[in-house]
Amino acid sequence: MIIRWTNSVADALLSLRVHWLSTAFGLVSVAAAVAAFSTTLLVSGAMTDVLGKRFEYLGRDAMTVSVADGENHNLPMSISTYRALARIAGISAIAPIIELSGKNSRASHGKHSVVTQAIATTSDYFRVSSLSLKFGRGLAVADDQRATKTCVIGSELAARLGLQNNPLGQYMQLGEASVRVIGVLAPTMESGKFISLDYVVIISMETARAIGVDTGQIDRALVMPSNTAFAGDLRDRMARLVSTREWAEKGKGGLSARVETRDQLIKASKEASEKQGLVVSLIASLSLLVSSIGIMNVAYLGVTERFREIGLRRAVGASSVGIQRLLLIESLLVSIGGDFIGIGISMLAAQPVARLFGIQQALPLDFSKIGLVSLLAIGITVGFCLAPARRAATVDPVAALRSD
């Protein structure tokens, strides 16, 4: 039996070499589908990890307060609502967040320029968050009181701007304004250029006002309760105040306050990312299915082209089972070869693709996912080639030899 299978594999390899054009088409189809599927899984898995870490910098008991419309879309909160929120009893620290956009999200130093995440806040931001510093200091009360035009930056951003050696006291450009670096955050070991604090620029609200940012509205507030035992009551009181004031100021109903804890934010972010990853994976699996259908059509065409060859094999003693086994081994070899090529391509392409989504750190190789894709590709390819193999097994040798 071993000799029989060995001879079948040798025959299949010879046949694939003779019919090199259809072999090449099959390899390219499987490799492209496997590469797309594997790359999608690797990148979507990394994105899930990135989004899950997005809010881990917050203190364990911290909460975010924001405004949403009836369709759950984020809306800005007025600064007067934020100030009223800050007067509520039971708050240990509160910090506003304004996410800068446009030209104010571009950091540059010398010939280096990076589009990054820039936020305006207050010194309480460093009390609410669990951030630590590698160099220098964070924002201080003095920065809240006047436009000192200072900033704290992420460690990776400092490296990208060429400030990693001696960043403190040096000036960089944020948009068109010149700001002085007073601190560098410790590396967070996160990935994600546009959501990682390794790439952030933090300035005070007064500095933001001085460089032309509208500070009359904020994107959200970060709150640290003074007593976690009454956090639920504090959450209800903040929600009522924000909803009431925003309804009155914006003059329309349907607005609501969204108060979320750190754990809720992390969980919701991961769930959203996993759903997006599932949709993308389904689309990638369709490409694998389409490529398998293409290989099946090539196999049918191959049976037609090799009609006389198959008839001759049958005439000299090959059984229908042997013919079927030969074609299935050919499809198996093509799928395995395409698998290896596709996985190699995905390993080379995954990191550049991830960087397009802002993921900078090296992607871990998830061999369980890669193995799953490989087995799925082999199974689908061989499965779709069963019908052409059965058709070849039923070829009448007499009719085949008489055909032109």
Side-chain angles (χ1 to χ4, degrees):
M1 184 177 179
I2 296 177
I3 295 175
R4 183 187 307 163
W5 277 95
T6 303
N7 291 335
S8 296
V9 171
D11 286 346
L13 288 171
L14 179 61
S15 180
L16 291 174
R17 182 179 177 183
V18 171
H19 304 282
W20 61 271
L21 190 59
S22 59
T23 302
F25 177 83
L27 286 171
V28 170
S29 298
V30 175
V34 170
F37 204 173
S38 299
T39 302
T40 300
L41 288 179
L42 291 173
V43 174
S44 63
M47 284 296 295
T48 299
D49 293 338
V50 166
L51 293 175
K53 293 178 180 178
R54 183 179 185 181
F55 302 102
E56 287 185 356
Y57 71 93
L58 294 176
R60 182 175 297 276
D61 301 314
M63 294 180 281
T64 66
V65 184
S66 58
V67 181
D69 60 15
E71 297 179 355
N72 209 31
H73 296 147
N74 286 335
L75 295 175
M77 180 192 303
S78 70
I79 195 68
S80 60
T81 298
Y82 166 77
R83 288 169 179 162
L85 189 66
R87 292 193 292 268
I88 291 182
I91 293 178
S92 171
I94 181 170
I97 297 291
I98 299 177
E99 295 182 356
L100 280 59
S101 59
K103 65 180 182 180
N104 290 323
S105 63
R106 178 171 291 278
S108 57
H109 175 72
K111 63 181 180 180
H112 306 287
S113 180
V114 179
V115 176
T116 187
Q117 181 189 24
I119 63 172
T121 184
T122 63
S123 58
D124 271 351
Y125 179 80
F126 289 86
R127 294 178 58 195
V128 178
S129 67
S130 57
L131 296 174
S132 57
L133 291 163
K134 183 179 180 181
F135 302 114
R137 64 173 178 86
L139 297 179
V141 175
D143 299 307
D144 296 335
Q145 296 172 345
R146 64 181 187 277
T148 56
K149 291 192 176 181
T150 54
C151 69
V152 178
I153 62 176
S155 58
E156 193 64 31
L157 178 62
R160 289 297 183 91
L161 295 179
L163 296 170
Q164 68 270 31
N165 294 328
N166 186 23
L168 300 184
Q170 295 200 47
Y171 285 84
M172 55 170 274
Q173 293 293 122
L174 185 62
E176 297 177 353
S178 180
V179 292
R180 180 168 56 90
V181 178
I182 59 172
V184 178
L185 298 176
T188 63
M189 302 305 292
E190 297 177 19
S191 54
K193 175 179 176 181
F194 299 107
I195 56 180
S196 169
L197 291 172
D198 289 340
Y199 287 85
V200 76
V201 179
I202 303 172
I203 62 174
S204 69
M205 294 284 285
E206 289 299 319
T207 296
R209 186 180 295 112
I211 65 175
V213 176
D214 178 14
T215 57
Q217 295 179 321
I218 66 172
D219 292 300
R220 60 187 178 277
L222 303 183
V223 177
M224 178 65 72
S226 55
N227 190 335
T228 57
F230 301 102
D233 174 66
L234 175 62
R235 185 163 50 243
D236 293 339
R237 287 188 287 124
M238 289 192 298
R240 285 196 300 269
L241 182 143
V242 171
S243 297
T244 302
R245 292 189 64 94
E246 289 297 305
W247 283 353
E249 292 194 15
K250 291 184 171 58
K252 61 179 181 179
L255 302 180
S256 62
R258 189 161 50 196
V259 183
E260 298 170 291
T261 65
R262 185 188 76 160
D263 291 341
Q264 288 174 328
L265 290 168
I266 292 173
K267 181 180 178 182
S269 186
K270 282 187 175 181
E271 288 177 350
S273 177
E274 287 171 354
K275 289 179 181 178
Q276 292 175 355
L278 179 61
V279 171
V280 175
S281 296
L282 288 175
I283 295 173
S285 64
L286 286 177
S287 69
L288 185 60
L289 186 64
V290 169
S291 72
S292 297
I293 293 174
I295 293 172
M296 181 184 68
N297 291 331
V298 170
Y300 269 119
L301 182 61
V303 170
T304 302
E305 291 178 345
R306 298 164 62 183
F307 195 56
R308 287 178 59 83
E309 175 194 333
I310 294 171
L312 182 59
R313 286 178 179 271
R314 292 294 308 278
V316 297
S319 64
S320 59
V321 174
I323 296 295
Q324 187 171 342
R325 181 171 60 242
L326 173 66
L327 294 184
L328 289 178
I329 290 175
E330 288 180 11
S331 66
L332 179 63
L333 292 174
V334 168
S335 62
I336 292 175
D339 259 351
F340 278 109
I341 297 172
I343 290 171
I345 293 173
S346 69
M347 289 181 176
L348 295 174
Q351 193 67 59
V353 171
R355 284 175 181 160
L356 294 177
F357 293 94
I359 301 173
Q360 302 298 319
Q361 72 180 32
L363 296 183
L365 293 179
D366 192 334
F367 289 103
S368 61
K369 291 181 179 179
I370 292 174
L372 177 63
V373 172
S374 299
L375 292 176
L376 187 63
I378 292 172
I380 292 177
T381 303
V382 175
F384 272 82
C385 288
L386 280 174
R390 287 174 180 168
R391 179 184 174 186
T394 59
V395 168
D396 182 3
V398 176
L401 293 174
R402 284 178 177 175
S403 64
D404 293 332

